[in-house]
Amino acid sequence: MRTVFFVSESTGLTAEAMGQSLLSQFETLEFERVYMPYINTLARARALVQRVGAAKERHGVRPIVFGTMLDDEIRAVLRGGDCLYIEMFDTFMGTLEAELGVRPSRLSGRSHAITQPGSYTKRIDALNFAMSNDDGVRPENFDHADVILLGVSRTGKTPTSMYLAIHFGMRAANYPLTEEDFERSQLPDAVMRNAQKLVGLTIAPERLHRIREERRPGSRYSSLNQCQTDVRSGLRILAQLGIPVLDTTSQSIEEIASHVIEIFKQYG
Amino acid sequence: MRTVFFVSESTGLTAEAMGQSLLSQFETLEFERVYMPYINTLARARALVQRVGAAKERHGVRPIVFGTMLDDEIRAVLRGGDCLYIEMFDTFMGTLEAELGVRPSRLSGRSHAITQPGSYTKRIDALNFAMSNDDGVRPENFDHADVILLGVSRTGKTPTSMYLAIHFGMRAANYPLTEEDFERSQLPDAVMRNAQKLVGLTIAPERLHRIREERRPGSRYSSLNQCQTDVRSGLRILAQLGIPVLDTTSQSIEEIASHVIEIFKQYG
């Protein structure tokens, strides 16, 4: 076991994203992951180096530290630690500075701070919109949505809507496909008049069966038979209406969301 | 104006996080940002290079491409483009491989795929929990929460709860502080018996006033006077009960969430 630290002078979310991505290339290894945001004083940097040393003692291998530090002195302290220090800002900042011909501000925490109030407000508004337009509760609001996800119960509509809102600032609504829709072979007017915003979600019936079983064990709703019928009916109506469909069976909400963005070729 | 591309063979979220972070150091410059996930074939890589060339023509400066590509051939195509190509995986992979003594899998899309079903399920469960425990609707569920955010209306409890759940897999509930609590100078038993999970949120009254005004313009609820009273009463009860407090006035939900994680020293 090796300890990995994600460190930063502010939230540490960038160091974490990049570090986790790199580590995911070494799936056979196990890591102890330590998230250390706000290492923004020399005292904190020195305490971190102590902790790095202790982790080295404990596991017998030197830890890896993924950092995005802007302060030269703090970086020097970390470099002195008994670790492999992978500094992600420092590596690229010189190249970028040369290309752009502008000095970096060296202010920490800019990437997750509210530096562009407009785009931040947009994300929060999108999240509020997604929360109050979950599960098709207010179809009249579909006119104000950027995207409307359609699918039978438990295909991933809700978490995907939340992610689209929180990360991409998309006003995501969702509408559950039900037997009523299948019988009518048609969707409500509020859905249809927003045809260009629609994305369908589907899922393998076996997977849907397992997900629904956790929710309502032993019910008709959760039975494999019902799941097969629902998925088939859902796919049929989506195909009839020419709505693009994403299969969520083995995809994370991040993956589904980025496919949605790909469909719309729209961002930010 | 310069065009910036965030590209990847899969979701592109890592390239985006790192690229946006680096760019945030050059706040005085304006960029056109293009998000290009799923550049996972040579044909798509070549089409991207075309697009890069067109952006160069349009703006007269070569674009910057932030990438996390694993395929040697795709990377070679991008390197041939008329751009500054900042390849973030390639830069660090050799160092990591040497340190770990294991070859990277070179499978793309591992970082946002469901590679660890346990931790993915935990995040989705946490999100469902956060959504059904918003605004203190089911205090009996506080026993199952990892964190309970307290604050008067519109201090950022809901979006922070969603972010804590979706990003960190924390089962975040929240409880709105109201006049009833202030009059009793006490919080409900369901809150108090989970004292170790509590984090208070506060905000500058002027900012709260502006936020509430957007929601209910001209109301007593939104008046500066009421906002001042609410914030003061909220801070008083939080102090009385010894609950740690975060000021959300100028913080993004990412920043508030990472402060919450810092308080609990808990992660993943």
Side-chain angles (χ1 to χ4, degrees):
Chain A
M1 176 78 86
R2 192 190 287 254
T3 310
V4 175
F5 293 86
F6 306 110
V7 306
S8 152
E9 286 145 334
S10 55
T11 66
L13 291 168
T14 308
E16 188 212 5
M18 192 69 194
Q20 295 275 31
S21 262
L22 287 164
L23 292 182
S24 72
Q25 286 294 308
F26 301 91
E27 284 179 71
T28 53
L29 303 179
E30 263 195 274
F31 299 99
E32 177 190 48
R33 290 155 213 256
V34 183
Y35 174 67
M36 300 282 278
Y38 302 104
I39 305 297
N40 48 16
T41 63
L42 285 175
R44 286 184 185 191
R46 289 193 197 106
L48 173 65
V49 165
Q50 290 276 326
R51 207 166 149 176
V52 164
K56 161 78 193 289
E57 287 297 306
R58 206 163 53 244
H59 298 306
V61 281
R62 63 175 185 165
I64 300 172
V65 174
F66 291 101
T68 55
M69 315 310 275
L70 291 160
D71 185 281
D72 293 337
E73 291 184 76
I74 289 178
R75 226 162 36 224
V77 171
L78 297 186
R79 280 200 210 291
D82 194 0
C83 61
L84 172 67
Y85 177 40
I86 295 190
E87 172 47 54
M88 296 182 281
F89 267 15
D90 205 37
T91 304
F92 300 114
M93 208 59 91
T95 311
L96 267 179
E97 183 176 343
E99 178 75 17
L100 297 169
V102 170
R103 305 216 56 162
S105 70
R106 296 272 165 197
L107 294 170
S108 79
R110 305 317 285 169
S111 59
H112 295 98
I114 309 174
T115 49
Q116 296 165 311
S119 88
Y120 181 72
T121 306
K122 190 177 163 204
R123 285 171 55 218
I124 298 299
D125 286 349
L127 180 61
N128 289 331
F129 181 88
M131 287 194 69
S132 53
N133 290 282
D134 188 35
D135 216 28
V137 286
R138 289 178 209 166
E140 69 276 14
N141 281 347
F142 288 170
D143 298 339
H144 308 294
D146 295 318
V147 57
I148 304 160
L149 302 178
L150 311 174
V152 300
S153 171
R154 298 279 111 186
T155 42
K157 299 183 298 297
T158 298
T160 304
S161 300
M162 296 304 138
Y163 191 83
L164 281 166
I166 215 164
H167 189 85
F168 291 104
M170 282 190 97
R171 294 162 71 89
N174 64 73
Y175 176 82
L177 297 174
T178 63
E179 240 153 83
E180 201 183 324
D181 302 306
F182 304 146
E183 278 162 19
R184 291 175 59 225
S185 282
Q186 221 189 316
L187 298 176
D189 182 51
V191 175
M192 290 320 297
R193 70 171 178 258
N194 289 289
Q196 75 292 352
K197 301 175 184 173
L198 307 180
V199 176
L201 300 185
T202 189
I203 189 169
E206 298 71 26
R207 173 91 187 114
L208 184 60
H209 167 56
R210 281 197 301 276
I211 293 172
R212 288 186 176 179
E213 270 292 318
E214 273 172 40
R215 200 155 231 229
R216 293 198 218 148
S219 65
R220 189 176 88 92
Y221 163 84
S222 308
S223 69
L224 182 57
N225 190 37
Q226 185 64 43
C227 290
Q228 286 165 332
T229 306
D230 281 1
V231 168
R232 201 168 41 231
S233 306
L235 280 173
R236 189 181 305 127
I237 200 164
L238 292 168
Q240 275 168 5
L241 300 170
I243 296 166
V245 177
L246 298 173
D247 184 341
T248 68
T249 308
S250 54
Q251 293 202 78
S252 69
I253 53 173
E254 284 84 352
E255 291 173 305
I256 307 166
S258 66
H259 278 297
V260 169
I261 298 284
E262 209 192 2
I263 288 171
F264 289 100
K265 306 260 178 255
Q266 176 189 327
Y267 174 48
Chain B
M1 176 77 87
R2 193 190 285 256
T3 310
V4 175
F5 292 87
F6 306 108
V7 305
S8 151
E9 288 145 331
S10 54
T11 64
L13 291 169
T14 308
E16 188 211 6
M18 191 71 196
Q20 295 275 32
S21 262
L22 286 164
L23 292 181
S24 71
Q25 286 295 308
F26 302 91
E27 283 177 72
T28 53
L29 303 179
E30 261 196 277
F31 299 99
E32 175 188 50
R33 290 154 213 257
V34 183
Y35 174 68
M36 299 282 277
Y38 302 105
I39 305 297
N40 49 16
T41 63
L42 284 174
R44 287 185 184 191
R46 288 191 197 105
L48 173 65
V49 165
Q50 291 276 326
R51 208 166 150 177
V52 164
K56 160 78 192 288
E57 286 298 306
R58 204 163 55 244
H59 297 306
V61 282
R62 64 176 185 166
I64 300 173
V65 174
F66 291 100
T68 55
M69 315 310 274
L70 291 160
D71 184 282
D72 293 337
E73 291 184 76
I74 289 177
R75 225 160 38 222
V77 171
L78 297 186
R79 280 201 209 290
D82 194 0
C83 59
L84 172 67
Y85 177 40
I86 294 190
E87 171 47 51
M88 296 182 281
F89 267 15
D90 206 36
T91 304
F92 301 113
M93 209 58 92
T95 310
L96 267 180
E97 184 177 341
E99 178 76 15
L100 297 169
V102 170
R103 305 215 56 162
S105 70
R106 297 270 164 199
L107 294 169
S108 79
R110 305 317 284 168
S111 59
H112 294 99
I114 309 176
T115 48
Q116 297 166 310
S119 87
Y120 181 70
T121 306
K122 189 178 163 204
R123 285 172 54 217
I124 298 300
D125 286 349
L127 180 60
N128 289 331
F129 181 89
M131 288 193 67
S132 53
N133 290 284
D134 187 34
D135 216 28
V137 286
R138 289 178 208 166
E140 68 277 14
N141 282 348
F142 288 170
D143 297 339
H144 308 295
D146 295 319
V147 57
I148 304 160
L149 302 179
L150 311 175
V152 300
S153 172
R154 299 278 113 187
T155 41
K157 300 183 299 297
T158 297
T160 304
S161 300
M162 297 303 138
Y163 192 82
L164 281 166
I166 215 164
H167 188 85
F168 291 104
M170 281 191 100
R171 295 162 71 90
N174 64 73
Y175 176 83
L177 296 175
T178 63
E179 240 154 84
E180 200 182 323
D181 302 307
F182 305 147
E183 279 162 19
R184 291 177 59 225
S185 281
Q186 220 188 317
L187 299 175
D189 183 51
V191 176
M192 289 321 296
R193 69 171 179 257
N194 289 289
Q196 77 292 351
K197 302 175 183 173
L198 307 180
V199 176
L201 301 185
T202 190
I203 188 167
E206 298 71 25
R207 172 91 188 114
L208 184 61
H209 167 56
R210 282 197 301 277
I211 294 173
R212 287 186 177 180
E213 270 292 318
E214 275 174 38
R215 196 152 237 230
R216 294 198 217 147
S219 64
R220 189 176 87 91
Y221 162 84
S222 308
S223 69
L224 182 57
N225 189 39
Q226 184 65 42
C227 290
Q228 286 165 331
T229 307
D230 282 1
V231 168
R232 199 169 42 231
S233 306
L235 280 173
R236 189 182 305 127
I237 199 165
L238 292 168
Q240 275 168 3
L241 300 170
I243 297 166
V245 177
L246 297 173
D247 185 342
T248 68
T249 307
S250 54
Q251 293 202 77
S252 70
I253 53 172
E254 285 83 353
E255 292 173 304
I256 307 166
S258 67
H259 278 298
V260 169
I261 298 285
E262 209 193 1
I263 288 172
F264 289 101
K265 307 260 179 250
Q266 176 188 326
Y267 174 48

